[in-house]
Amino acid sequence: METNNYKLVIENIIMELKKFSDNIVTLNPPINPTLIVKFEKKYQLELPNDYKYLLSQSNGINLMGDEVLGITFSNYGYDLTSTYEFEHFNVQIPQFDYLIPFSPDGGGNFYCFDTSKRTNNGNSYKIVFWCSNYEYSETDEPEITHDNLSDFISECIIGWTLENYNYDGSRKVTGNGMGKY
C-alpha cells in the first residue's frame, strides 16, 4: 500500500498489535534516537523512515515468534546490529551491501530492506526475502515481497498470526476441532 502518511499507518499497526494479549506480543519501549544515528553512521546506510518511526514507538516487536528487530548495540542478544554484522561479514554467502536484514524467518533466512529501491515518496524501501543458502547475482536478485514495512507487518506478522490464532493467543478452531490450516 503506497501512502504518504506512513506515520499514521505505523500508528494503526501498533494499535492492532496492542489488541493481542501481552502473553503473545512484545512491544519494546521506544528507541533512544542516538542508536539509529549510530547504526546509520557505522554502516553508512539510511534506514527507512517508516522503520525509524516504528522504532520511535517500539524498538522491535515480537508476535508469537515473528519479529521485527530493534536496535540495541548490546554485546548479547539478537538485534538489527548483530544480525547485520553476521549476515554481511560472518557467513559463507554474505548479503549484498544495500540489504538490511530486519526480520528472521526462523530458518536462517531474512526479510530485508532493499535500500536501493525506495517507495512511499522515499519514506520506505521495498522488502525482499533473502534465502541464506542461495547465491544471488546482480541479475538474479532476492524476490521483492512487499512495497514497505507496513505491508510486511500487516501480512506476515499480524495476518499470518490471525489465520490460526485469536488475539488472546488461543488457537482458532475449525469444524474438525483442529486449528485452521
Side-chain angles (χ1 to χ4, degrees):
M1 161 186 21
E2 285 280 326
T3 178
N4 291 331
N5 198 347
Y6 66 91
K7 290 181 179 181
L8 179 60
V9 175
I10 293 293
E11 289 167 5
N12 288 335
I13 284 172
I14 295 291
M15 286 191 324
E16 183 72 15
L17 287 166
K18 286 181 177 181
K19 292 179 184 178
F20 288 94
S21 165
D22 290 343
N23 295 330
I24 63 169
V25 70
T26 301
L27 297 168
N28 295 323
I31 194 168
N32 178 333
T34 61
L35 294 177
I36 293 172
V37 173
K38 184 176 178 181
F39 181 93
E40 291 179 326
K41 186 175 181 180
K42 180 173 183 171
Y43 301 110
Q44 298 187 353
L45 290 168
E46 184 180 343
L47 293 168
N49 290 335
D50 54 358
Y51 177 66
K52 291 190 269 192
Y53 189 70
L54 173 72
L55 295 179
S56 77
Q57 305 299 302
S58 177
N59 187 12
I61 59 174
N62 185 315
L63 179 59
M64 296 189 74
D66 294 322
E67 62 186 318
V68 172
L69 301 174
I71 302 173
T72 63
F73 279 98
S74 67
N75 291 329
Y76 56 91
Y78 193 53
D79 76 332
L80 193 71
T81 306
S82 62
T83 302
Y84 185 89
E85 286 278 333
F86 187 80
E87 293 300 318
H88 285 84
F89 306 114
N90 298 312
V91 294
Q92 190 172 9
I93 304 172
Q95 290 187 354
F96 298 144
D97 291 344
Y98 56 84
L99 295 180
I100 303 172
F102 72 90
S103 182
D105 78 341
N109 307 306
F110 290 89
Y111 291 94
C112 304
F113 297 118
D114 183 336
T115 64
S116 71
K117 296 177 175 72
R118 288 185 179 270
T119 62
N120 277 349
N121 294 318
N123 291 307
S124 305
Y125 295 128
K126 297 264 186 188
I127 308 298
V128 300
F129 185 74
W130 177 270
C131 187
S132 295
N133 64 354
Y134 183 82
E135 196 155 348
Y136 295 97
S137 68
E138 295 302 318
T139 57
D140 182 21
E141 295 181 313
E143 173 189 4
I144 295 172
T145 61
H146 297 88
D147 279 338
N148 56 56
L149 179 63
S150 302
D151 290 352
F152 169 79
I153 294 173
S154 294
E155 180 183 0
C156 299
I157 306 287
I158 296 170
W160 291 353
T161 299
L162 287 175
E163 285 180 8
N164 294 306
Y165 296 93
N166 297 305
Y167 286 100
D168 65 1
S170 62
R171 192 145 181 76
K172 290 186 175 178
V173 179
T174 61
N176 63 6
M178 312 240 352
K180 184 178 173 185
Y181 295 103

